[in-house]
Amino acid sequence: MKLRRVRTGNGLQTQCLRDGQWAAHSEALAGKVFSDQWQLDIADEHLRKSESLLPFNPASFRDFMLFEQHNIDASRGLVRRFHPAQYRLAAAVERLSGRSFPLFKPKPLFYQQPIYYMGNHLTFVPSGTPICAPAYSSALDYELEIGFVLAEPLYCATPQQAAAAIGAFVLLNDFSARDIQRAEMASGFGPQKSEHFASSMSATAVTADEILPRIDNLTGSVRINGNTVNTVSSAGMRWSLGEVLAHASHSEHLFPGELFGTGTLPGGSGMETGNWLEPGDVFTLTLDDIGEVEHVITS
């Protein structure tokens, strides 16, 4: 079932798509965390810049890295743009060995447990919102991800219990300032100003019963100025979503409304493909049957 939120004269209303028509839906998509007035104020702020709303306001945001190939290709792309001499050396090693340069691969912990960082859940904006690179960056990038929100609380859950607690899926886009990201990652504290300034998600969400059975077979696309520059697939996740949530819930309470991301699908960022965002660009990310985000990049 596809869901969205709209602004009515009486406040915010969750709607579901039935027989091609949007109708009122009795239940909110996520748990009640924020006050009705706060959510209404945020919705009105978003509507001043966009014609759509977030399907829910996330209570928190944990972004995982589940795709090895993305890490390899993104690391290669970062070095290619910002450290060309190092890139030429790494490229020579890859040509001679026929293998990925070792430092482009994820750290050992990636293979031992699901890894993630805590993002800024309060800077999510809906599709259609104009986006400007932060003042401290000249390398704005996008990241096409699968987002999923909890409908039930979890604590020390098994993977089966954790998967059953997923309420719905969204297309998630994590904006990134790539020129400062490497230094922040090297600090040992993970991404900070390189990631926290803005994220976006599709205006629509789709309930888990329709998406979870085919979570490894979703496809999506990246379009810039009307041209499809890449397509992506959800195949190849290192950990299942049940394992991801079970790990997050280990000796830690998780609550309805908390949002999680799979990390970028391979090929779903400009750093991997060389398709960087520039002022004036219109870019669109799509994900099978779930939704899309589209933004104009301003200067």
Side-chain angles (χ1 to χ4, degrees):
M1 180 167 53
K2 184 167 283 191
L3 303 168
R4 70 175 186 180
R5 281 197 309 181
V6 297
R7 177 71 157 92
T8 72
N10 296 321
L12 295 176
Q13 182 185 78
T14 300
Q15 296 182 337
C16 64
L17 190 61
R18 294 175 182 161
D19 300 322
Q21 300 291 324
W22 290 101
H25 187 61
S26 59
E27 297 181 9
L29 179 57
K32 185 175 176 60
V33 178
F34 306 102
S35 72
D36 292 342
Q37 187 59 53
W38 184 89
Q39 294 192 77
L40 190 60
D41 291 343
I42 293 297
D44 287 341
E45 179 181 335
H46 287 165
L47 286 173
R48 284 192 285 271
K49 300 177 181 180
S50 169
E51 295 182 356
S52 60
L53 293 176
L54 299 174
F56 61 93
N57 296 102
S60 72
F61 175 43
R62 294 171 178 82
D63 203 8
F64 284 80
M65 185 176 74
L66 301 183
F67 296 95
E68 180 186 40
Q69 193 60 50
H70 161 71
N71 191 92
I72 294 171
D73 293 341
S75 297
R76 184 183 294 118
L78 184 147
V79 174
R80 181 170 56 235
R81 172 163 178 175
F82 299 111
H83 306 279
Q86 294 179 23
Y87 171 72
R88 288 192 292 271
L89 174 61
V93 171
E94 289 188 323
R95 284 195 302 271
L96 291 171
S97 67
R99 299 178 180 178
S100 299
F101 190 65
L103 292 181
F104 293 160
K105 299 191 71 174
K107 296 294 189 289
L109 191 62
F110 170 86
Y111 303 96
Q112 300 165 17
Q113 67 181 47
I115 58 175
Y116 66 93
Y117 79 93
M118 294 293 295
N120 189 347
H121 62 294
L122 297 176
T123 54
F124 271 86
V125 296
S127 176
T129 304
I131 297 294
C132 178
Y136 47 80
S137 174
S138 59
L140 181 65
D141 199 4
Y142 54 88
E143 297 186 65
L144 197 169
E145 308 186 20
I146 302 168
F148 47 105
V149 61
L150 281 184
E152 302 291 339
L154 293 175
Y155 181 76
C156 291
T158 66
Q160 293 74 24
Q161 291 169 334
I166 298 174
F169 288 84
V170 295
L171 186 158
L172 193 154
N173 169 50
D174 196 19
F175 285 108
S176 300
R178 299 297 194 187
D179 43 355
I180 67 168
Q181 184 177 25
R182 193 179 192 192
E184 289 187 344
M185 298 298 287
S187 73
F189 266 39
Q192 300 143 47
K193 298 295 285 184
S194 62
E195 299 282 353
H196 289 180
F197 59 94
S199 299
S200 62
M201 72 171 82
S202 53
T204 54
V206 178
T207 50
D209 60 305
E210 294 191 14
I211 301 300
L212 199 54
R214 55 192 182 100
I215 190 63
D216 295 317
N217 295 292
L218 299 176
T219 60
S221 66
V222 179
R223 297 199 307 273
I224 299 180
N225 300 325
N227 300 313
T228 299
V229 298
N230 210 17
T231 57
V232 301
S233 167
S234 63
M237 281 190 277
R238 172 71 183 182
W239 305 94
S240 73
L241 300 192
E243 290 170 327
V244 162
L245 289 173
H247 172 71
S249 76
H250 183 57
S251 295
E252 182 177 348
H253 290 280
L254 304 180
F255 299 95
E258 297 202 65
L259 176 66
F260 302 82
T262 58
T264 310
L265 276 61
S269 68
M271 187 162 67
E272 295 168 81
T273 62
N275 296 294
W276 297 87
L277 296 175
E278 300 291 344
D281 284 344
V282 178
F283 83 98
T284 308
L285 308 179
T286 64
L287 195 59
D288 275 352
D289 302 325
I290 294 178
E292 69 173 37
V293 297
E294 182 172 278
H295 300 281
V296 175
I297 306 303
T298 62
S299 56

